[in-house]
PDB file of all heavy atoms in Angstrom:
ATOM      1  N   ASP A   1      -1.058   9.972   7.833  1.00  0.00           N
ATOM      2  CA  ASP A   1      -1.609  11.161   8.075  1.00  0.00           C
ATOM      3  C   ASP A   1      -0.675  12.370   7.779  1.00  0.00           C
ATOM      4  O   ASP A   1      -1.221  13.419   7.294  1.00  0.00           O
ATOM      5  CB  ASP A   1      -2.104  11.402   9.615  1.00  0.00           C
ATOM      6  CG  ASP A   1      -3.099  10.316   9.900  1.00  0.00           C
ATOM      7  OD1 ASP A   1      -3.923   9.909   8.965  1.00  0.00           O
ATOM      8  OD2 ASP A   1      -3.425  10.157  11.152  1.00  0.00           O
ATOM      9  N   ASP A   2       0.604  12.222   7.785  1.00  0.00           N
ATOM     10  CA  ASP A   2       1.531  13.238   7.501  1.00  0.00           C
ATOM     11  C   ASP A   2       1.921  13.262   6.033  1.00  0.00           C
ATOM     12  O   ASP A   2       2.624  14.159   5.574  1.00  0.00           O
ATOM     13  CB  ASP A   2       2.810  13.132   8.382  1.00  0.00           C
ATOM     14  CG  ASP A   2       2.614  13.345   9.826  1.00  0.00           C
ATOM     15  OD1 ASP A   2       1.538  14.043  10.165  1.00  0.00           O
ATOM     16  OD2 ASP A   2       3.346  13.030  10.500  1.00  0.00           O
ATOM     17  N   GLY A   3       1.343  12.394   5.230  1.00  0.00           N
ATOM     18  CA  GLY A   3       1.671  12.333   3.796  1.00  0.00           C
ATOM     19  C   GLY A   3       3.049  11.703   3.440  1.00  0.00           C
ATOM     20  O   GLY A   3       3.426  11.829   2.378  1.00  0.00           O
ATOM     21  N   ASP A   4       3.625  10.954   4.491  1.00  0.00           N
ATOM     22  CA  ASP A   4       5.044  10.389   4.298  1.00  0.00           C
ATOM     23  C   ASP A   4       4.746   8.987   3.698  1.00  0.00           C
ATOM     24  O   ASP A   4       4.922   8.025   4.314  1.00  0.00           O
ATOM     25  CB  ASP A   4       5.732  10.327   5.630  1.00  0.00           C
ATOM     26  CG  ASP A   4       6.128  11.697   6.014  1.00  0.00           C
ATOM     27  OD1 ASP A   4       6.219  12.583   5.305  1.00  0.00           O
ATOM     28  OD2 ASP A   4       6.335  11.765   7.357  1.00  0.00           O
ATOM     29  N   VAL A   5       4.287   8.926   2.455  1.00  0.00           N
ATOM     30  CA  VAL A   5       3.818   7.672   1.871  1.00  0.00           C
ATOM     31  C   VAL A   5       4.944   6.660   1.568  1.00  0.00           C
ATOM     32  O   VAL A   5       4.768   5.479   1.593  1.00  0.00           O
ATOM     33  CB  VAL A   5       2.908   7.820   0.566  1.00  0.00           C
ATOM     34  CG1 VAL A   5       1.587   8.461   1.016  1.00  0.00           C
ATOM     35  CG2 VAL A   5       3.725   8.637  -0.425  1.00  0.00           C
ATOM     36  N   GLU A   6       6.177   7.237   1.282  1.00  0.00           N
ATOM     37  CA  GLU A   6       7.242   6.173   1.016  1.00  0.00           C
ATOM     38  C   GLU A   6       7.580   5.465   2.303  1.00  0.00           C
ATOM     39  O   GLU A   6       7.658   4.276   2.245  1.00  0.00           O
ATOM     40  CB  GLU A   6       8.400   6.927   0.378  1.00  0.00           C
ATOM     41  CG  GLU A   6       8.366   7.104  -1.068  1.00  0.00           C
ATOM     42  CD  GLU A   6       7.432   8.469  -1.405  1.00  0.00           C
ATOM     43  OE1 GLU A   6       7.149   9.186  -0.446  1.00  0.00           O
ATOM     44  OE2 GLU A   6       7.118   8.555  -2.531  1.00  0.00           O
ATOM     45  N   PRO A   7       7.823   6.156   3.393  1.00  0.00           N
ATOM     46  CA  PRO A   7       8.226   5.337   4.648  1.00  0.00           C
ATOM     47  C   PRO A   7       6.956   4.524   5.100  1.00  0.00           C
ATOM     48  O   PRO A   7       7.125   3.440   5.684  1.00  0.00           O
ATOM     49  CB  PRO A   7       8.522   6.370   5.713  1.00  0.00           C
ATOM     50  CG  PRO A   7       8.670   7.740   5.108  1.00  0.00           C
ATOM     51  CD  PRO A   7       8.094   7.544   3.706  1.00  0.00           C
ATOM     52  N   TRP A   8       5.726   4.988   4.778  1.00  0.00           N
ATOM     53  CA  TRP A   8       4.521   4.298   5.176  1.00  0.00           C
ATOM     54  C   TRP A   8       4.527   3.069   4.394  1.00  0.00           C
ATOM     55  O   TRP A   8       4.200   1.909   4.872  1.00  0.00           O
ATOM     56  CB  TRP A   8       3.245   5.123   4.911  1.00  0.00           C
ATOM     57  CG  TRP A   8       1.988   4.405   5.079  1.00  0.00           C
ATOM     58  CD1 TRP A   8       1.324   4.221   6.246  1.00  0.00           C
ATOM     59  CD2 TRP A   8       1.207   3.683   4.117  1.00  0.00           C
ATOM     60  NE1 TRP A   8       0.159   3.483   5.983  1.00  0.00           N
ATOM     61  CE2 TRP A   8       0.011   3.090   4.741  1.00  0.00           C
ATOM     62  CE3 TRP A   8       1.398   3.474   2.691  1.00  0.00           C
ATOM     63  CZ2 TRP A   8      -0.900   2.385   4.032  1.00  0.00           C
ATOM     64  CZ3 TRP A   8       0.386   2.864   1.996  1.00  0.00           C
ATOM     65  CH2 TRP A   8      -0.645   2.264   2.667  1.00  0.00           C
ATOM     66  N   ALA A   9       4.873   2.986   3.041  1.00  0.00           N
ATOM     67  CA  ALA A   9       4.872   1.881   2.241  1.00  0.00           C
ATOM     68  C   ALA A   9       5.852   0.900   2.706  1.00  0.00           C
ATOM     69  O   ALA A   9       5.754  -0.313   2.457  1.00  0.00           O
ATOM     70  CB  ALA A   9       5.029   2.243   0.796  1.00  0.00           C
ATOM     71  N   GLU A  10       6.956   1.326   3.317  1.00  0.00           N
ATOM     72  CA  GLU A  10       7.845   0.346   3.846  1.00  0.00           C
ATOM     73  C   GLU A  10       7.422  -0.459   5.041  1.00  0.00           C
ATOM     74  O   GLU A  10       8.068  -1.451   5.492  1.00  0.00           O
ATOM     75  CB  GLU A  10       9.243   1.158   4.218  1.00  0.00           C
ATOM     76  CG  GLU A  10       9.889   1.790   3.119  1.00  0.00           C
ATOM     77  CD  GLU A  10      10.549   0.821   2.222  1.00  0.00           C
ATOM     78  OE1 GLU A  10      11.086  -0.152   2.652  1.00  0.00           O
ATOM     79  OE2 GLU A  10      10.541   0.976   0.920  1.00  0.00           O
ATOM     80  N   THR A  11       6.312  -0.029   5.547  1.00  0.00           N
ATOM     81  CA  THR A  11       5.613  -0.908   6.674  1.00  0.00           C
ATOM     82  C   THR A  11       4.948  -2.059   6.156  1.00  0.00           C
ATOM     83  O   THR A  11       4.333  -2.784   6.934  1.00  0.00           O
ATOM     84  CB  THR A  11       4.702   0.028   7.541  1.00  0.00           C
ATOM     85  OG1 THR A  11       3.568   0.419   6.983  1.00  0.00           O
ATOM     86  CG2 THR A  11       5.492   1.132   8.164  1.00  0.00           C
ATOM     87  N   PHE A  12       4.965  -2.269   4.835  1.00  0.00           N
ATOM     88  CA  PHE A  12       4.327  -3.505   4.214  1.00  0.00           C
ATOM     89  C   PHE A  12       5.530  -4.209   3.587  1.00  0.00           C
ATOM     90  O   PHE A  12       6.479  -3.804   3.102  1.00  0.00           O
ATOM     91  CB  PHE A  12       3.475  -3.052   3.003  1.00  0.00           C
ATOM     92  CG  PHE A  12       2.213  -2.313   3.622  1.00  0.00           C
ATOM     93  CD1 PHE A  12       2.160  -0.981   3.855  1.00  0.00           C
ATOM     94  CD2 PHE A  12       0.980  -3.005   3.658  1.00  0.00           C
ATOM     95  CE1 PHE A  12       1.007  -0.313   4.320  1.00  0.00           C
ATOM     96  CE2 PHE A  12      -0.103  -2.387   4.163  1.00  0.00           C
ATOM     97  CZ  PHE A  12      -0.100  -0.990   4.514  1.00  0.00           C
ATOM     98  N   THR A  13       5.191  -5.576   3.524  1.00  0.00           N
ATOM     99  CA  THR A  13       6.191  -6.467   2.958  1.00  0.00           C
ATOM    100  C   THR A  13       6.127  -6.218   1.430  1.00  0.00           C
ATOM    101  O   THR A  13       5.216  -5.616   0.842  1.00  0.00           O
ATOM    102  CB  THR A  13       5.894  -8.027   3.160  1.00  0.00           C
ATOM    103  OG1 THR A  13       4.628  -8.310   2.657  1.00  0.00           O
ATOM    104  CG2 THR A  13       5.984  -8.213   4.664  1.00  0.00           C
ATOM    105  N   VAL A  14       7.168  -6.542   0.675  1.00  0.00           N
ATOM    106  CA  VAL A  14       7.338  -6.461  -0.699  1.00  0.00           C
ATOM    107  C   VAL A  14       6.055  -7.068  -1.490  1.00  0.00           C
ATOM    108  O   VAL A  14       5.566  -6.503  -2.451  1.00  0.00           O
ATOM    109  CB  VAL A  14       8.545  -6.936  -1.248  1.00  0.00           C
ATOM    110  CG1 VAL A  14       8.658  -7.002  -2.727  1.00  0.00           C
ATOM    111  CG2 VAL A  14       9.750  -6.198  -0.692  1.00  0.00           C
ATOM    112  N   ASP A  15       5.608  -8.187  -0.935  1.00  0.00           N
ATOM    113  CA  ASP A  15       4.471  -8.928  -1.584  1.00  0.00           C
ATOM    114  C   ASP A  15       3.230  -8.763  -0.791  1.00  0.00           C
ATOM    115  O   ASP A  15       2.267  -9.657  -0.952  1.00  0.00           O
ATOM    116  CB  ASP A  15       4.891 -10.440  -1.679  1.00  0.00           C
ATOM    117  CG  ASP A  15       5.132 -11.108  -0.487  1.00  0.00           C
ATOM    118  OD1 ASP A  15       5.244 -10.409   0.617  1.00  0.00           O
ATOM    119  OD2 ASP A  15       5.266 -12.375  -0.481  1.00  0.00           O
ATOM    120  N   ALA A  16       3.054  -7.712  -0.048  1.00  0.00           N
ATOM    121  CA  ALA A  16       1.843  -7.495   0.756  1.00  0.00           C
ATOM    122  C   ALA A  16       0.666  -7.388  -0.158  1.00  0.00           C
ATOM    123  O   ALA A  16       0.709  -6.990  -1.245  1.00  0.00           O
ATOM    124  CB  ALA A  16       2.068  -6.336   1.632  1.00  0.00           C
ATOM    125  N   THR A  17      -0.672  -7.561   0.563  1.00  0.00           N
ATOM    126  CA  THR A  17      -1.860  -7.278  -0.239  1.00  0.00           C
ATOM    127  C   THR A  17      -2.683  -6.508   0.735  1.00  0.00           C
ATOM    128  O   THR A  17      -2.637  -6.582   2.057  1.00  0.00           O
ATOM    129  CB  THR A  17      -2.580  -8.644  -0.519  1.00  0.00           C
ATOM    130  OG1 THR A  17      -2.890  -9.342   0.672  1.00  0.00           O
ATOM    131  CG2 THR A  17      -1.861  -9.445  -1.574  1.00  0.00           C
ATOM    132  N   ILE A  18      -3.475  -5.652   0.091  1.00  0.00           N
ATOM    133  CA  ILE A  18      -4.534  -4.876   0.974  1.00  0.00           C
ATOM    134  C   ILE A  18      -5.820  -5.074   0.112  1.00  0.00           C
ATOM    135  O   ILE A  18      -5.999  -4.758  -1.057  1.00  0.00           O
ATOM    136  CB  ILE A  18      -4.282  -3.397   1.077  1.00  0.00           C
ATOM    137  CG1 ILE A  18      -2.926  -3.118   1.689  1.00  0.00           C
ATOM    138  CG2 ILE A  18      -5.479  -2.662   1.674  1.00  0.00           C
ATOM    139  CD1 ILE A  18      -2.579  -1.647   1.844  1.00  0.00           C
ATOM    140  N   ALA A  19      -6.888  -5.653   0.825  1.00  0.00           N
ATOM    141  CA  ALA A  19      -8.120  -5.732   0.204  1.00  0.00           C
ATOM    142  C   ALA A  19      -9.163  -4.939   1.109  1.00  0.00           C
ATOM    143  O   ALA A  19      -9.008  -4.856   2.259  1.00  0.00           O
ATOM    144  CB  ALA A  19      -8.567  -7.265   0.204  1.00  0.00           C
ATOM    145  N   ASN A  20     -10.067  -4.434   0.292  1.00  0.00           N
ATOM    146  CA  ASN A  20     -11.309  -3.700   1.124  1.00  0.00           C
ATOM    147  C   ASN A  20     -12.561  -3.922   0.337  1.00  0.00           C
ATOM    148  O   ASN A  20     -12.478  -4.206  -0.873  1.00  0.00           O
ATOM    149  CB  ASN A  20     -10.833  -2.330   1.350  1.00  0.00           C
ATOM    150  CG  ASN A  20     -10.853  -1.398   0.186  1.00  0.00           C
ATOM    151  OD1 ASN A  20     -11.882  -1.122  -0.403  1.00  0.00           O
ATOM    152  ND2 ASN A  20      -9.749  -0.921  -0.133  1.00  0.00           N
ATOM    153  N   ASN A  21     -13.579  -3.809   0.991  1.00  0.00           N
ATOM    154  CA  ASN A  21     -14.882  -3.947   0.364  1.00  0.00           C
ATOM    155  C   ASN A  21     -15.420  -2.745  -0.353  1.00  0.00           C
ATOM    156  O   ASN A  21     -16.512  -2.712  -0.884  1.00  0.00           O
ATOM    157  CB  ASN A  21     -15.874  -4.404   1.390  1.00  0.00           C
ATOM    158  CG  ASN A  21     -16.215  -3.372   2.496  1.00  0.00           C
ATOM    159  OD1 ASN A  21     -15.392  -2.522   2.676  1.00  0.00           O
ATOM    160  ND2 ASN A  21     -17.314  -3.478   3.135  1.00  0.00           N
ATOM    161  N   ALA A  22     -14.603  -1.705  -0.671  1.00  0.00           N
ATOM    162  CA  ALA A  22     -14.967  -0.560  -1.474  1.00  0.00           C
ATOM    163  C   ALA A  22     -14.315  -0.701  -2.920  1.00  0.00           C
ATOM    164  O   ALA A  22     -14.726   0.157  -3.738  1.00  0.00           O
ATOM    165  CB  ALA A  22     -14.390   0.766  -0.775  1.00  0.00           C
ATOM    166  N   ASN A  23     -13.342  -1.487  -3.040  1.00  0.00           N
ATOM    167  CA  ASN A  23     -12.780  -1.690  -4.388  1.00  0.00           C
ATOM    168  C   ASN A  23     -12.921  -3.118  -4.971  1.00  0.00           C
ATOM    169  O   ASN A  23     -12.982  -4.023  -4.264  1.00  0.00           O
ATOM    170  CB  ASN A  23     -11.211  -1.301  -4.229  1.00  0.00           C
ATOM    171  CG  ASN A  23     -11.027   0.144  -3.818  1.00  0.00           C
ATOM    172  OD1 ASN A  23     -11.663   1.055  -4.456  1.00  0.00           O
ATOM    173  ND2 ASN A  23     -10.258   0.329  -2.866  1.00  0.00           N
ATOM    174  N   PRO A  24     -12.946  -3.155  -6.220  1.00  0.00           N
ATOM    175  CA  PRO A  24     -13.124  -4.501  -6.875  1.00  0.00           C
ATOM    176  C   PRO A  24     -12.078  -5.488  -6.710  1.00  0.00           C
ATOM    177  O   PRO A  24     -12.185  -6.659  -6.874  1.00  0.00           O
ATOM    178  CB  PRO A  24     -13.389  -4.049  -8.335  1.00  0.00           C
ATOM    179  CG  PRO A  24     -12.780  -2.854  -8.513  1.00  0.00           C
ATOM    180  CD  PRO A  24     -12.827  -2.104  -7.196  1.00  0.00           C
ATOM    181  N   ALA A  25     -10.816  -4.889  -6.559  1.00  0.00           N
ATOM    182  CA  ALA A  25      -9.679  -5.928  -6.580  1.00  0.00           C
ATOM    183  C   ALA A  25      -8.656  -5.453  -5.468  1.00  0.00           C
ATOM    184  O   ALA A  25      -8.487  -4.349  -5.322  1.00  0.00           O
ATOM    185  CB  ALA A  25      -9.014  -5.992  -7.898  1.00  0.00           C
ATOM    186  N   PRO A  26      -8.014  -6.364  -4.843  1.00  0.00           N
ATOM    187  CA  PRO A  26      -7.009  -6.015  -3.821  1.00  0.00           C
ATOM    188  C   PRO A  26      -5.752  -5.466  -4.429  1.00  0.00           C
ATOM    189  O   PRO A  26      -5.440  -5.725  -5.556  1.00  0.00           O
ATOM    190  CB  PRO A  26      -6.683  -7.417  -3.022  1.00  0.00           C
ATOM    191  CG  PRO A  26      -7.110  -8.378  -4.043  1.00  0.00           C
ATOM    192  CD  PRO A  26      -8.214  -7.794  -4.864  1.00  0.00           C
ATOM    193  N   ALA A  27      -5.066  -4.517  -3.835  1.00  0.00           N
ATOM    194  CA  ALA A  27      -3.710  -3.979  -4.147  1.00  0.00           C
ATOM    195  C   ALA A  27      -2.740  -5.107  -3.777  1.00  0.00           C
ATOM    196  O   ALA A  27      -2.625  -5.484  -2.506  1.00  0.00           O
ATOM    197  CB  ALA A  27      -3.445  -2.726  -3.566  1.00  0.00           C
ATOM    198  N   ALA A  28      -1.899  -5.593  -4.611  1.00  0.00           N
ATOM    199  CA  ALA A  28      -0.948  -6.676  -4.468  1.00  0.00           C
ATOM    200  C   ALA A  28       0.371  -6.175  -4.681  1.00  0.00           C
ATOM    201  O   ALA A  28       0.635  -5.583  -5.968  1.00  0.00           O
ATOM    202  CB  ALA A  28      -1.293  -7.831  -5.297  1.00  0.00           C
ATOM    203  N   GLY A  29       1.208  -6.172  -3.791  1.00  0.00           N
ATOM    204  CA  GLY A  29       2.621  -5.669  -3.916  1.00  0.00           C
ATOM    205  C   GLY A  29       2.730  -4.368  -3.287  1.00  0.00           C
ATOM    206  O   GLY A  29       1.973  -3.486  -3.510  1.00  0.00           O
ATOM    207  N   ARG A  30       3.995  -4.126  -2.789  1.00  0.00           N
ATOM    208  CA  ARG A  30       4.290  -2.825  -2.242  1.00  0.00           C
ATOM    209  C   ARG A  30       4.332  -1.673  -3.193  1.00  0.00           C
ATOM    210  O   ARG A  30       3.825  -0.602  -2.945  1.00  0.00           O
ATOM    211  CB  ARG A  30       5.612  -2.850  -1.452  1.00  0.00           C
ATOM    212  CG  ARG A  30       5.940  -1.539  -0.798  1.00  0.00           C
ATOM    213  CD  ARG A  30       7.347  -1.520  -0.229  1.00  0.00           C
ATOM    214  NE  ARG A  30       7.543  -2.511   0.840  1.00  0.00           N
ATOM    215  CZ  ARG A  30       8.790  -2.911   1.116  1.00  0.00           C
ATOM    216  NH1 ARG A  30       9.923  -2.542   0.519  1.00  0.00           N
ATOM    217  NH2 ARG A  30       9.026  -3.908   2.078  1.00  0.00           N
ATOM    218  N   GLU A  31       4.701  -1.917  -4.463  1.00  0.00           N
ATOM    219  CA  GLU A  31       4.812  -0.859  -5.412  1.00  0.00           C
ATOM    220  C   GLU A  31       3.344  -0.381  -5.868  1.00  0.00           C
ATOM    221  O   GLU A  31       3.182   0.843  -5.793  1.00  0.00           O
ATOM    222  CB  GLU A  31       5.454  -1.311  -6.670  1.00  0.00           C
ATOM    223  CG  GLU A  31       6.953  -1.480  -6.536  1.00  0.00           C
ATOM    224  CD  GLU A  31       7.636  -0.144  -5.975  1.00  0.00           C
ATOM    225  OE1 GLU A  31       7.354   0.902  -6.553  1.00  0.00           O
ATOM    226  OE2 GLU A  31       8.448  -0.148  -5.094  1.00  0.00           O
ATOM    227  N   LEU A  32       2.302  -1.196  -5.969  1.00  0.00           N
ATOM    228  CA  LEU A  32       1.060  -0.905  -6.126  1.00  0.00           C
ATOM    229  C   LEU A  32       0.407  -0.219  -4.952  1.00  0.00           C
ATOM    230  O   LEU A  32      -0.329   0.828  -5.030  1.00  0.00           O
ATOM    231  CB  LEU A  32       0.136  -2.040  -6.625  1.00  0.00           C
ATOM    232  CG  LEU A  32      -1.305  -1.770  -6.868  1.00  0.00           C
ATOM    233  CD1 LEU A  32      -1.376  -0.607  -7.937  1.00  0.00           C
ATOM    234  CD2 LEU A  32      -2.079  -2.975  -7.442  1.00  0.00           C
ATOM    235  N   ILE A  33       0.705  -0.650  -3.747  1.00  0.00           N
ATOM    236  CA  ILE A  33       0.266  -0.150  -2.543  1.00  0.00           C
ATOM    237  C   ILE A  33       0.794   1.289  -2.451  1.00  0.00           C
ATOM    238  O   ILE A  33      -0.026   2.281  -2.075  1.00  0.00           O
ATOM    239  CB  ILE A  33       0.604  -1.003  -1.339  1.00  0.00           C
ATOM    240  CG1 ILE A  33      -0.216  -2.336  -1.351  1.00  0.00           C
ATOM    241  CG2 ILE A  33       0.514  -0.218   0.032  1.00  0.00           C
ATOM    242  CD1 ILE A  33       0.340  -3.293  -0.344  1.00  0.00           C
ATOM    243  N   LEU A  34       1.952   1.560  -2.686  1.00  0.00           N
ATOM    244  CA  LEU A  34       2.647   2.888  -2.785  1.00  0.00           C
ATOM    245  C   LEU A  34       1.967   3.784  -3.838  1.00  0.00           C
ATOM    246  O   LEU A  34       1.588   4.997  -3.445  1.00  0.00           O
ATOM    247  CB  LEU A  34       4.152   2.788  -3.079  1.00  0.00           C
ATOM    248  CG  LEU A  34       4.887   4.072  -3.099  1.00  0.00           C
ATOM    249  CD1 LEU A  34       4.654   4.992  -1.887  1.00  0.00           C
ATOM    250  CD2 LEU A  34       6.322   3.887  -3.403  1.00  0.00           C
ATOM    251  N   LYS A  35       1.708   3.339  -4.965  1.00  0.00           N
ATOM    252  CA  LYS A  35       1.028   4.103  -5.975  1.00  0.00           C
ATOM    253  C   LYS A  35      -0.309   4.568  -5.538  1.00  0.00           C
ATOM    254  O   LYS A  35      -0.721   5.655  -5.737  1.00  0.00           O
ATOM    255  CB  LYS A  35       0.973   3.230  -7.352  1.00  0.00           C
ATOM    256  CG  LYS A  35       0.253   4.008  -8.443  1.00  0.00           C
ATOM    257  CD  LYS A  35       0.201   3.068  -9.714  1.00  0.00           C
ATOM    258  CE  LYS A  35      -0.471   3.755 -10.741  1.00  0.00           C
ATOM    259  NZ  LYS A  35      -0.583   2.896 -11.998  1.00  0.00           N
ATOM    260  N   VAL A  36      -1.060   3.695  -4.908  1.00  0.00           N
ATOM    261  CA  VAL A  36      -2.414   3.978  -4.524  1.00  0.00           C
ATOM    262  C   VAL A  36      -2.343   5.032  -3.321  1.00  0.00           C
ATOM    263  O   VAL A  36      -3.082   6.024  -3.183  1.00  0.00           O
ATOM    264  CB  VAL A  36      -3.225   2.753  -3.986  1.00  0.00           C
ATOM    265  CG1 VAL A  36      -4.495   3.091  -3.166  1.00  0.00           C
ATOM    266  CG2 VAL A  36      -3.526   1.877  -5.058  1.00  0.00           C
TER     267      VAL A  36
END
């Protein structure tokens, strides 16, 4: 909410995945999660 995306991304493992039913493919890996 504060836009602190780098520390937010650190709350995910390096190989984390995020999937949701609004996007065609899950985000895999902290770097892609950070980019999104």
